[in-house]
Amino acid sequence: QVQLVESGGGLVQPGGSLRLSCGASGSIFSIHVMGWYRQAPGKQRELAAAISGDGRTSYLDSVKGRFTISRDNVKNTVYLQMNSLKPEDTAVYYCYFRVTLATKSRGDDYWGQGTQVTVSS
């Protein structure tokens, strides 16, 4: 079993910055992809950023140039550095891991429980 623990959310003024962290615990053989989804009230969940096993990154167009996703493979942790935050970034942010467990032969999806990011003056 894999558990994801998120931290770093909070209230920030427009133009401010936050860094989200999400660490995975468990018997992980490999991590195929890590990402950050977000969901605002009344809206669909969307993928804000992702990083693949080979280190390639992708971003939602609306966050390009402002958000940076990174990882620490030793700690099994993914980060989301969010700069120049806008009110439209307000959402619950969920980390996502697709992993292969050491005791299994197939990949599985895991989600963090979410952390609230509120951008408001």
Side-chain angles (χ1 to χ4, degrees), residues 48-113:
I51 183 166
S52 64
D54 62 3
R56 293 185 296 110
T57 59
S58 62
Y59 298 93
L60 190 67
D61 284 344
S62 61
V63 310
K64 285 182 179 178
R66 301 188 297 117
F67 289 13
T68 302
I69 188 169
S70 61
R71 66 184 182 184
D72 184 328
N73 289 334
V74 174
K75 297 181 179 180
N76 287 335
T77 299
V78 63
Y79 305 94
L80 186 66
Q81 179 67 46
M82 303 184 292
N83 298 326
S84 301
L85 282 162
K86 304 175 179 179
E88 306 89 82
D89 297 317
T90 296
V92 177
Y93 284 71
Y94 300 89
C95 63
Y96 163 84
F97 281 51
R98 183 162 182 83
V99 309
T100 296
L101 301 179
T103 57
K104 300 293 183 180
S105 60
R106 60 178 291 174
D108 293 294
D109 297 332
Y110 292 91
W111 294 86
Q113 64 181 9

Side-chain angles (χ1 to χ4, degrees), residues 23-45:
S25 62
S27 185
I28 298 173
F29 178 76
S30 63
I31 300 174
H32 302 290
V33 63
M34 296 182 256
W36 290 94
Y37 286 78
R38 66 184 188 180
Q39 187 167 26
K43 294 194 173 184
Q44 296 291 116
R45 187 173 296 188

